[in-house]
Amino acid sequence: MLSKAQISLITSLQHKKFRKQHGLFIVEGVKSVREFIASDYQIHSLYTTAEARTKMGNLPQNLKCIEVTVPEFQKISALTHPQGVLALVYLPALEKFDWTQLRKQHHLLLDDIQDPGNLGTIIRTAEWFGIQHIICSVGTVDAFNPKVVQATMGSLARMQVYYTELGEFIRQAKLPTFGALLEGTSIYETDFGDAGLIIMGNEGNGIRAAITEQVDYPVTIPGFGGAESLNVAVASTVFCSEIARQKLKHG
Amino acid sequence: MLSKAQISLITSLQHKKFRKQHGLFIVEGVKSVREFIASDYQIHSLYTTAEARTKMGNLPQNLKCIEVTVPEFQKISALTHPQGVLALVYLPALEKFDWTQLRKQHHLLLDDIQDPGNLGTIIRTAEWFGIQHIICSVGTVDAFNPKVVQATMGSLARMQVYYTELGEFIRQAKLPTFGALLEGTSIYETDFGDAGLIIMGNEGNGIRAAITEQVDYPVTIPGFGGAESLNVAVASTVFCSEIARQKLKHG
C-alpha cells in the first residue's frame, strides 16, 4: 500500500526541479529497469505489480522492493501503457569531465535539443554506433526526464551524458569540430578522421550562431526530394552511421 | 461557429474507420496544410482561428474556409499544442500500382510498422533521400492517422504510400530484395545496385518469417556498443543514407 506522500514524491520526479531536489529519477519497464540494476547506477527502490514482479527474475538481495496494486501503479506511472515496473534511481554524481579520455574518439554535442523523444533516440542510436559521450548544452532537455529515459530503451544506463556550456567545452577539447549545417560539404565527402566533435543543433533553429562560429567543418546531408529538413535524431543517425562506416573501412 | 455535428465529424477522423467512411483525413499546422494545398490532394475544407488565418497568406479562391474561435479549435484539434490551422483532405483514390515506374528505383517496404511517429519519420526521411514509393503491409499503421501526418512534416503531400500484401508485391516486382535482419552482410559492404526493395520489419518482431524467406540479401547495421537494437525509423535512415551515398559515388 502506497502512502499519499510516496505517490506524490514519485510523480513529482516527472519535473526536473524535483529530480534535482530529491536526487532521484524514474526508470520504467522490465527491460530498462533490469539494465539500470545491472549498471553503475544506484537504485533507490523498485515498485512492481504482482504480475510484473514475476517478469523481473532474480533481483539483488539488498534491493528495496515494494509490491503495489494495479490501480496504485497507474497513479505513479508516467507511461500511457504502464508495464508494472518502476524504479527510482539516484542521479549520477556530476563528475569532472575526463579530458584524457576525450581525445581519441568522436563525441556528440547537442545544442539545445528540445524534444525528449529526439534526445532519447539520439542516446540509443549513439550507443549502437559506439559513441560513448554525449555533451549537451545547458538548454538541452534533461536526459533524466522520464520520456527521455523511456526512449533510450536502457541505453542511458551505459552512456555518459554531460551538461555544460558548449562553447567553452569546444575551446577546451581542441578537437576538430564538425557541424550539421545546411551549407556545407557533403557528409559522404567529409573525412571524419579518428576523433572529433559532431555538433547537432536545435529542432527549429539549428546550431546557435556563436557555436556555428566554432565549427571547423560545416557538413551537409545531401537531399534528393522536396523535404525541407530532417528530424534531428535522423540527422544524428546519418552522422553516426557515416563515421562508423569510415572507421570500419579504415580498420 | 461550429455545430456539434461538425465537431463530431472532424474528431471522428482520428479513427481509421471513419476516415474510410467519410473519405477524409486531417492535416494540421500552417506548414503542413500549405504543402497539402500545393499538392495533388484535394482539400475539403479549412478551419482556422483568426490569428492563425493571417499566417496562411493567400489561399485558393475556391477553398472553403471556416473561421473558428480558440476554444472551438481546441475541440477539433488532435494536437497537444494546436496551431490554429486544420484542413480536411480527401483520401487519395487507390490507384493501381504503376509497375513500369517501379523498375529503376529503390523502394521502401514496411512490414507491420505499428508506431505512428515511426511511420511519419520514415516517410519524411525517405523523401529527403529521394525514395518516392513506400509500400506498407496491410498491418502497418495507417499513413492518414493524424499522428503520422503530423510526423511527416508535409512530406506525405508529395509521397506515394501504398498498402498491399507484401509477399505478393515482392513476387510481382521481380527486384532484388534487401531485408534489415540481425544476421546479414554489413550494410556498408552491400552493393544496393540501381534498384531494389528495402524491407524493414515491425518494431518488436522484425520482418515476418514468410517475408524473410523472400529476402535475397539479408543486411545488418553493425553495432559497436551495448545497445540491443535500433529504432526502426533510425534503421530505415541508415539504409536510405547508405543507398544515397552509393548512388552519389557511382554517379
Side-chain angles (χ1 to χ4, degrees):
Chain A
M1 170 82 189
L2 285 178
S3 70
K4 236 176 165 173
Q6 282 173 304
I7 294 171
S8 158
L9 163 69
I10 297 170
T11 55
S12 81
L13 300 178
Q14 294 181 24
H15 305 283
K16 186 174 175 182
K17 178 185 159 188
F18 294 106
R19 286 196 293 275
K20 280 204 150 179
Q21 189 177 310
H22 298 290
L24 293 170
F25 66 101
I26 296 169
V27 178
E28 288 199 61
V30 176
K31 184 173 166 293
S32 289
V33 169
R34 269 214 205 112
E35 300 197 21
F36 272 89
I37 290 173
S39 77
D40 293 339
Y41 284 84
Q42 298 298 311
I43 312 295
H44 173 278
S45 49
L46 179 67
Y47 300 81
T48 65
T49 60
E51 195 207 339
R53 174 66 188 84
T54 62
K55 295 181 197 157
M56 289 300 292
N58 287 331
L59 293 170
Q61 289 203 336
N62 58 350
L63 188 61
K64 184 179 158 195
C65 296
I66 299 107
E67 201 168 294
V68 301
T69 64
V70 172
E72 279 178 331
F73 196 87
Q74 274 163 348
K75 281 184 194 161
I76 59 173
S77 173
L79 300 183
T80 319
H81 305 288
Q83 292 182 41
V85 178
L86 183 152
L88 301 190
V89 183
Y90 287 103
L91 283 171
L94 284 174
E95 311 152 275
K96 277 217 154 196
F97 196 88
D98 181 354
W99 293 96
T100 57
Q101 209 187 351
L102 183 71
R103 302 297 157 180
K104 289 172 194 161
Q105 300 174 350
H106 286 96
H107 310 276
L108 210 47
L109 271 60
L110 305 180
D111 192 21
D112 290 5
I113 302 293
Q114 291 307 296
D115 182 80
N118 282 344
L119 178 57
T121 302
I122 290 171
I123 292 172
R124 178 182 174 192
T125 305
E127 193 200 9
W128 178 274
F129 286 108
I131 285 179
Q132 290 170 334
H133 298 104
I134 296 182
I135 298 100
C136 302
S137 67
V138 179
T140 294
V141 60
D142 184 27
F144 300 100
N145 173 317
K147 288 180 191 166
V148 178
V149 176
Q150 185 65 17
T152 73
M153 298 288 282
S155 279
L156 185 63
R158 295 174 299 266
M159 290 286 282
Q160 310 274 354
V161 184
Y162 302 86
Y163 286 80
T164 188
E165 206 283 290
L166 284 194
E168 181 56 25
F169 182 90
I170 294 168
R171 273 186 290 278
Q172 290 214 39
K174 297 192 182 72
L175 283 175
T177 51
F178 302 86
L181 293 161
L182 287 178
E183 312 265 323
T185 306
S186 162
I187 187 167
Y188 309 120
E189 290 163 17
T190 299
D191 181 353
F192 286 97
D194 290 334
L197 307 177
I198 313 299
I199 310 174
M200 309 301 300
N202 169 271
E203 285 88 347
N205 307 315
I207 303 173
R208 283 172 294 167
I211 304 295
T212 302
E213 282 177 22
Q214 294 180 276
V215 168
D216 300 322
Y217 304 99
V219 179
T220 296
I221 301 170
F224 297 76
E228 272 176 40
S229 63
L230 282 173
N231 166 284
V232 65
V234 165
S236 302
T237 300
V238 177
F239 276 80
C240 291
S241 170
E242 180 58 18
I243 291 167
R245 188 189 69 80
Q246 293 188 8
K247 272 195 186 141
L248 285 169
K249 193 179 161 192
H250 300 128
Chain B
M1 172 79 192
L2 285 179
S3 70
K4 236 176 163 173
Q6 283 174 303
I7 294 171
S8 157
L9 164 68
I10 297 171
T11 54
S12 80
L13 300 178
Q14 295 180 23
H15 305 282
K16 186 175 176 182
K17 177 184 161 189
F18 294 106
R19 286 196 292 277
K20 280 204 151 180
Q21 187 175 313
H22 298 290
L24 294 170
F25 67 101
I26 297 169
V27 178
E28 288 199 62
V30 177
K31 183 173 167 293
S32 288
V33 169
R34 270 215 205 109
E35 300 196 23
F36 273 89
I37 290 173
S39 77
D40 293 339
Y41 283 85
Q42 298 298 311
I43 313 294
H44 172 278
S45 49
L46 179 67
Y47 299 81
T48 64
T49 60
E51 195 207 341
R53 174 66 188 82
T54 62
K55 296 179 196 158
M56 289 300 292
N58 287 330
L59 293 170
Q61 289 203 337
N62 58 350
L63 188 61
K64 184 179 159 196
C65 295
I66 299 106
E67 200 168 294
V68 302
T69 64
V70 173
E72 279 177 331
F73 196 87
Q74 276 163 344
K75 281 185 196 161
I76 59 173
S77 174
L79 300 183
T80 320
H81 304 288
Q83 292 181 41
V85 177
L86 182 152
L88 301 190
V89 183
Y90 288 103
L91 283 171
L94 284 175
E95 311 151 276
K96 278 216 151 194
F97 197 88
D98 181 354
W99 293 97
T100 57
Q101 208 185 354
L102 183 72
R103 302 296 157 182
K104 289 172 195 160
Q105 300 175 350
H106 285 96
H107 309 277
L108 210 48
L109 270 60
L110 306 180
D111 192 22
D112 291 5
I113 302 292
Q114 291 308 296
D115 183 79
N118 282 345
L119 178 58
T121 302
I122 290 171
I123 292 172
R124 178 181 175 193
T125 304
E127 192 199 10
W128 179 274
F129 286 108
I131 285 177
Q132 291 169 334
H133 299 104
I134 296 182
I135 298 98
C136 303
S137 67
V138 180
T140 295
V141 60
D142 184 26
F144 300 99
N145 173 317
K147 288 181 191 166
V148 178
V149 177
Q150 184 66 16
T152 72
M153 298 287 282
S155 278
L156 185 62
R158 294 174 300 267
M159 290 286 282
Q160 310 274 354
V161 183
Y162 302 85
Y163 286 80
T164 189
E165 205 283 289
L166 284 194
E168 181 56 25
F169 182 91
I170 294 168
R171 273 186 290 277
Q172 290 215 38
K174 297 193 181 70
L175 282 176
T177 50
F178 302 86
L181 292 161
L182 287 177
E183 312 264 323
T185 307
S186 162
I187 187 168
Y188 309 120
E189 288 162 20
T190 300
D191 181 353
F192 287 96
D194 289 335
L197 306 178
I198 314 299
I199 311 173
M200 310 299 301
N202 168 270
E203 286 88 347
N205 306 318
I207 303 173
R208 284 171 294 166
I211 304 295
T212 303
E213 281 176 23
Q214 296 180 278
V215 168
D216 300 320
Y217 305 98
V219 180
T220 296
I221 302 170
F224 297 77
E228 271 176 41
S229 65
L230 283 172
N231 167 284
V232 65
V234 164
S236 302
T237 300
V238 177
F239 276 80
C240 291
S241 170
E242 179 58 17
I243 291 167
R245 187 190 70 79
Q246 293 188 9
K247 271 194 185 140
L248 285 169
K249 194 178 161 195
H250 300 127

